Amino acid sequence: MRRALVLLTILGAWAAVAAADGGGPSPGLDFGNGIVAPGGKLRYSALSDGRTTVLESVVIGTGRVRGVTYFKGSWGIPRVTFGGDTGGLSRDGGNLVLATWPGFPKTRFLLVDAHTFQLRGRVRLPGSWSFDAISPDGSLMYLIHYLGSPSQIYQPYDVRAFDWNTLKLYPGAIVDRREPDEKMTGQPLARTGSPSGWAYTLYSRVKKPPFVHALDTIHRRAFCVDLPWSHSGKWIASVRLRVRGGTLELRRGGRTVGRMNTKTLKLG
Amino acid sequence: MTDDMNRALVLAVFVAAILAGSAGGAGPSPGIAPGSAGVLSHNGKVRYVALRAGRGTLVEAISTGDGIVRHMRYLKGFYGIPMVAYDGSTGGLARNGKRLVVYAPSRGIGRDTTRYVVLDPRSLRVRSRITLTGNFGFDALSPDGSLMYLIHLKSANGSGFDYEVRALDVNTGRLFPDAIVDRREPDEKMTGIPLTRVGSDDASWAYTLYAKQSAGAFVHALHTTAREAFCVDVPLNLGGDELGHVRMRLRGGSLLLRFRGRTVATIDTRSFEVKR
């Protein structure tokens, strides 16, 4: 337990420093909040003491533990934003990804059957990676690959796609083909998804406008849409996203402060 | 697993225990809850569970409303939330919410120690650890958690269990001398299997329905602050498997024993007089 706390402190500090410098985009792993299954009846949590990880599903409303298993090692449900959003559960509710902490020479991921907790796949990737998104059926996983040295705080990164059926990475990074040379930077602050498999993430950048990263998790394509603000003020951290009809709404304090058409990616 | 399945499982264990006489060293104590149900706080907002985690146990405080794990504590060794009856009733949480007891049952008569860990439910920090030589189960806690009642299995053989109820001072970790007996019948040995449990709202009384090894049933009424107990024979005219479906509830000054939706016996909780 103590070791886990030390690790958390170190990694928390790493994430915080990185965020302050506008580089490290990984929010790390969740610690207790878990992720809610589609339908809202179950919550999955992964809890680790550093040596062992207990994965459990808890019935919302009663707090009863419905399923439980444990894995050797320290695993967690991935956070996908600094706002506390978690990911890793496919929209069909059948697959759950667990990850080790990024920032080490190797990063490992597990794919678990969310109903039975049986292990469906495992992969160990050289370098520092973190989870970004999963396709609706759980067959494709999107990862952030940190390209700098482990000691480097400012971390340029790529988004990569991983096929759980073949256990292989797709070649090449997932980039906005309209601007293929633009490097991705920024910190993820808010996330929402759509039933059609899109993951929308609000990113802030130092001295640059915030942007929405729209990732099509089925067809492995992404688009970056700069938002019409001159810089990413602190207020941007309180913006939340939601999809309503064909519109992505940016909401703050109960008001809609921005809209994006999800088909044309035009701001309204 | 559904509640019915859980109940069927523990009843199956119960029947097996009856048939085997002393099988498994569990004796009259149901042991520890297998994870999922745990024990619920008095206001129903937090559920405490103990889950196996590798070579240890993860104790969790789960918010029932949203299912979020609010606190957790890793303990070396295998501990569980105490079961207090074979219908799946659990215990171990003091009524005032300041002590939670988990325990590791002994592995058998003759080479046994029983280990208890007392936690603060608000943080799950360990308040104390108590190790007793012998085969003990958990029975009840006083409302403030300062007194713990234990089932001490002294021996078991083909003819049944020999056990007693003991009280332990949680602050000192020491057993009070002598067993808790019904002073009206001090020489009568306790025999039976706990089927179901209900407690008074202030947790000062714990009422447990036992199936006798011979036949019939009795209610063990334990005064958890006074270290007193009373055994009340209850003529129910039910078969052994039917006894497992009797439930109890308190209404006013009466303890109602209910079977398939009807009251089959009523016990006055002051006089312990039984009415049918």
Side-chain angles (χ1 to χ4, degrees):
Chain A
M1 179 66 70
R2 200 172 296 152
R3 197 185 332 153
L5 287 175
V6 170
L7 185 65
L8 280 175
T9 306
I10 292 168
L11 290 164
W14 175 79
V17 170
D21 277 35
S26 172
L29 301 178
D30 171 71
F31 203 72
N33 287 338
I35 188 165
V36 176
K41 292 182 179 171
L42 276 183
R43 183 184 294 274
Y44 296 94
S45 292
L47 305 163
S48 177
D49 72 325
R51 292 181 188 170
T52 307
T53 300
V54 172
L55 173 64
E56 65 195 44
S57 58
V58 174
V59 179
I60 292 174
T62 68
R64 279 177 178 263
V65 177
R66 200 173 85 167
V68 63
T69 191
Y70 64 88
F71 300 102
K72 273 188 179 177
S74 184
W75 301 89
I77 289 174
R79 281 190 174 184
V80 293
T81 72
F82 285 101
D85 299 294
T86 47
L89 185 62
S90 58
R91 186 166 275 271
D92 66 4
N95 296 281
L96 178 65
V97 171
L98 300 180
T100 55
W101 279 89
F104 293 96
K106 286 175 183 166
T107 315
R108 294 177 294 159
F109 296 91
L110 297 180
L111 185 69
V112 177
D113 183 315
H115 303 300
T116 64
F117 284 173
Q118 286 194 320
L119 193 60
R120 284 187 166 163
R122 63 166 73 222
V123 63
R124 186 172 62 178
L125 298 172
S128 183
W129 302 73
S130 68
F131 175 89
D132 188 33
I134 190 166
S135 61
D137 66 356
S139 62
L140 288 175
M141 173 170 73
Y142 295 84
L143 303 171
I144 306 279
H145 184 206
Y146 302 100
L147 302 172
S149 69
S151 59
Q152 192 179 348
I153 291 175
Y154 180 88
Q155 290 272 338
Y157 62 91
D158 278 345
V159 178
R160 298 289 301 272
F162 179 85
D163 188 333
W164 273 111
N165 293 321
T166 62
L167 297 179
K168 286 185 179 165
L169 284 164
Y170 282 89
I174 309 286
V175 296
D176 186 338
R177 291 181 191 167
R178 303 170 308 175
E179 300 169 308
D181 298 328
E182 184 159 328
K183 283 198 171 178
M184 278 197 72
T185 58
Q187 298 81 47
L189 298 180
R191 161 75 61 93
T192 193
S194 76
S196 54
W198 285 80
Y200 300 100
T201 311
L202 173 66
Y203 278 80
S204 73
R205 292 179 290 189
V206 178
K207 295 179 183 173
K208 285 185 177 177
F211 70 97
V212 169
H213 184 253
L215 175 66
D216 180 350
T217 63
I218 297 174
H219 302 104
R220 292 184 282 122
R221 54 187 181 149
F223 303 93
C224 293
V225 182
D226 284 343
L227 294 169
W229 296 299
S230 59
H231 63 281
S232 305
K234 282 184 181 173
W235 61 271
I236 201 78
S238 59
V239 171
R240 293 290 170 263
L241 305 179
R242 75 177 183 195
V243 173
R244 183 168 280 191
T247 303
L248 174 72
E249 295 181 346
L250 288 82
R251 309 264 305 167
R252 182 169 182 254
R255 292 190 311 118
T256 300
V257 296
R259 285 187 176 85
M260 187 186 85
N261 184 307
T262 55
K263 287 197 178 70
T264 64
L265 304 180
K266 293 242 169 88
L267 299 173
Chain B
M1 194 179 284
T2 65
D3 285 355
D4 285 345
M5 288 169 73
N6 270 326
R7 199 169 293 141
L9 184 65
V10 291
L11 281 173
V13 173
F14 153 66
V15 170
I18 292 279
L19 293 174
S22 60
S29 171
I32 53 179
S36 67
V39 63
L40 202 57
S41 65
H42 187 70
N43 64 10
K45 291 185 176 176
V46 182
R47 185 180 295 277
Y48 299 92
V49 298
L51 306 172
R52 184 172 173 180
R55 294 179 180 176
T57 303
L58 194 64
V59 183
E60 300 176 15
I62 301 172
S63 174
T64 54
D66 55 18
I68 289 178
V69 179
R70 300 292 175 186
H71 301 286
M72 55 172 268
R73 178 70 49 191
Y74 184 83
L75 303 173
K76 279 187 183 172
F78 301 138
Y79 292 89
I81 301 288
M83 284 176 75
V84 294
Y86 279 96
D87 69 344
S89 304
T90 50
L93 183 63
R95 170 68 180 80
N96 70 358
K98 292 186 177 175
R99 281 188 172 102
L100 171 68
V101 174
V102 295
Y103 89 104
S106 102
R107 291 180 182 174
I109 295 167
R111 54 185 178 84
D112 41 317
T113 58
T114 310
R115 291 170 295 140
Y116 297 85
V117 177
V118 183
L119 302 153
D120 182 338
R122 296 163 295 187
S123 61
L124 293 186
R125 286 179 191 277
V126 174
R127 290 182 63 154
S128 61
R129 294 173 188 270
I130 298 164
T131 301
L132 299 176
T133 302
N135 188 326
F136 289 85
F138 175 92
D139 191 28
L141 275 182
S142 62
D144 66 357
S146 63
L147 291 173
M148 180 159 64
Y149 295 86
L150 309 171
I151 304 284
H152 179 208
L153 183 63
K154 295 191 289 186
S155 66
N157 52 47
S159 62
F161 310 116
D162 180 9
Y163 69 92
E164 61 187 8
V165 178
R166 299 291 299 270
L168 180 137
D169 185 330
V170 176
N171 294 321
T172 63
R174 290 189 179 165
L175 289 165
F176 285 92
D178 302 327
I180 311 288
V181 295
D182 186 338
R183 289 181 192 169
R184 303 171 308 176
E185 300 168 306
D187 296 328
E188 184 159 326
K189 281 196 172 181
M190 274 191 76
T191 56
I193 296 289
L195 297 179
T196 186
R197 158 78 59 93
V198 69
S200 62
D201 192 56
D202 64 359
S204 61
W205 285 92
Y207 301 98
T208 312
L209 176 67
Y210 278 80
K212 288 183 180 178
Q213 280 178 274
S214 47
F218 70 93
V219 167
H220 184 254
L222 175 67
H223 194 317
T224 61
T225 54
R227 289 188 278 129
E228 286 182 339
F230 303 90
C231 292
V232 184
D233 284 329
V234 189
L236 289 175
N237 293 330
L238 295 174
D241 53 342
E242 290 176 322
L243 272 179
H245 296 281
V246 172
R247 294 292 172 265
M248 297 193 294
R249 70 177 180 215
L250 284 161
R251 183 176 287 176
S254 298
L255 176 67
L256 310 181
L257 282 75
R258 314 246 320 153
F259 176 68
R260 290 183 180 158
R262 61 189 176 91
T263 300
V264 291
T266 303
I267 300 173
D268 185 310
T269 55
R270 288 191 187 85
S271 65
F272 296 118
E273 189 184 344
V274 181
K275 292 177 189 167
R276 297 200 64 198

